[in-house]
Amino acid sequence: MQAPSGQDTARAVAALLGVQLLFGTHYSVAREITAHLDPIAWTTIRQFGGAFLLIGAALLLRVTWPRRGWGHLCVLALLGVVLNQLLFNAGIQRSTAVHGALVMATVPAQTLALGVLLGQESLTRRKLVSVALGALGIAALFEVDELAVGTGAWLRTRDGRLADHFSETVLFGDLLMFLNAGAYSLFLALSKRVSQTLDPLPLSAAIYACALPMIAAVGAPALLAVDFAAVPHHVWLLGGLVIVGPTALAYLLNLYALRRLPTSLVGLFINVQFVIAAVTAALWHGERLDDRTVLAAAAVLLGLSLRFVPERSAPT
């Protein structure tokens, strides 16, 4: 494949910024939706809606579908669609938009580690420091110090009350989103090769087609249990916007960028989500940055900023 031109690179960066805007606002939107809809049921609706748009567009435009490699595409569907969205929606129901954005900021560090293992990235001292700072920030966010001394301050729900079960805590929600970040990181690493040989639309449509039977098997019982009449109208409106924006359009833009930019750079742009998510969450749900979150954000975002600084060449 030919190296991308400067114009192609600029378009890819613009596409990545669009993805961050869509995903950055999505944290607060998803928090609102999952307050009224079971996360598994909502994930099922979202994926069927996204599949309808992407597969419909592929059929309408008569794109060329992949002739082989469907097993690989099914793995991508499991990681980048099914697990990604299930874990995210279940996590955001328990946690906050700010925590979600900060946890997702670990994706660059995880994609770096996977890129090194897959031979896509070289490991340097600065990259190691970047990963270490990210790990320090997430440890602060997860209140590892509270866990170590056993104060129990981490056993609280999003509204501050003491949780009856660990599965109700903010920490459990954060852990679910951390697993979501891991699944998405692996998706980025494994989709790099196939994204260079397939256009974004047929690739996205094929991935969603593979995801449909998986999410149907998991989500059918939850979907049947939903009282659709009891769900507020504004939730359905928000759901429709999510299906069009952070689902179908965002996947197309992300795969477009992934085809033209390094995997680590695609992951790196996720740090923009934190700023967008923090502002949106403050205006919408009144979320505020406490001292611990500020410390965690400073460590994670400082680690991310190191990735922008050019590495010094080793002396010959």
Side-chain angles (χ1 to χ4, degrees):
M1 189 182 82
Q2 292 183 344
S5 65
Q7 188 176 26
D8 285 339
T9 300
R11 288 174 179 171
V13 170
L16 274 182
L17 289 174
V19 170
Q20 307 324 311
L21 178 61
L22 290 170
F23 282 156
T25 55
H26 177 234
Y27 293 97
S28 290
V29 175
R31 172 177 169 172
E32 182 71 16
I33 292 174
T34 55
H36 301 277
L37 266 175
D38 175 78
I40 299 177
W42 162 235
T43 302
T44 306
I45 295 170
R46 179 185 176 188
Q47 291 187 18
F48 268 85
F52 174 80
L53 291 179
L54 292 169
I55 296 174
L59 293 174
L60 185 64
L61 297 175
R62 298 181 179 180
V63 301
T64 301
W65 290 80
R67 297 181 181 274
R68 56 185 180 274
W70 282 91
H72 183 70
L73 293 175
C74 286
V75 173
L76 295 181
L78 175 64
L79 294 170
V81 180
V82 180
L83 290 177
N84 177 25
Q85 294 182 19
L86 279 174
L87 292 168
F88 174 81
N89 286 323
I92 200 69
Q93 185 192 42
R94 297 162 171 84
S95 187
T96 66
V98 170
H99 277 219
L102 195 52
V103 170
M104 284 302 293
T106 65
V107 167
Q110 296 190 52
T111 51
L112 168 61
L114 291 168
V116 171
L117 292 175
L118 295 173
Q120 298 175 354
E121 297 276 351
S122 59
L123 192 60
T124 65
R125 182 179 301 175
R126 181 168 290 144
K127 289 178 181 179
L128 282 173
V129 173
S130 173
V131 171
L133 284 170
L136 177 64
I138 292 302
L141 187 70
F142 285 4
E143 302 184 8
V144 172
D145 54 318
E146 300 284 358
L147 290 169
V149 299
T151 61
W154 46 273
L155 283 172
R156 294 193 178 276
T157 63
R158 185 168 58 194
D159 58 11
R161 67 176 179 82
L162 192 64
D164 296 325
H165 306 284
F166 177 63
S167 60
E168 301 172 353
T169 63
V170 171
L171 177 59
F172 185 70
D174 289 346
L175 290 172
L176 289 175
M177 286 190 287
F178 186 76
L179 292 175
N180 155 60
Y184 186 68
S185 300
L186 190 53
F187 166 79
L188 286 178
L190 295 181
S191 61
K192 179 64 176 176
R193 177 177 55 83
V194 69
S195 68
Q196 293 176 330
T197 59
L198 290 174
D199 289 329
L201 179 56
L203 177 56
S204 299
I207 289 175
Y208 264 82
C210 291
L212 285 183
M214 303 182 205
I215 192 60
V218 174
L223 198 58
L224 292 173
V226 173
D227 182 1
F228 289 92
V231 179
H233 295 297
H234 78 278
V235 173
W236 294 121
L237 176 61
L238 291 173
L241 294 175
V242 168
I243 290 172
V244 174
T247 305
L249 182 58
Y251 273 85
L252 285 173
L253 292 175
N254 212 42
L255 289 170
Y256 173 86
L258 188 62
R259 186 175 184 179
R260 292 160 176 81
L261 297 172
T263 306
S264 59
L265 183 59
V266 174
L268 183 61
F269 266 74
I270 290 176
N271 73 329
V272 180
Q273 286 183 25
F274 179 77
V275 178
I276 298 172
V279 172
T280 306
L283 295 175
W284 191 338
H285 293 113
E287 293 185 19
R288 293 292 181 264
L289 300 178
D290 57 22
D291 293 342
R292 181 180 291 274
T293 306
V294 169
L295 174 63
V300 171
L301 298 181
L302 177 59
L304 287 170
S305 68
L306 291 178
R307 302 292 299 280
F308 284 110
V309 180
E311 299 275 1
R312 291 183 178 180
S313 301
T316 306

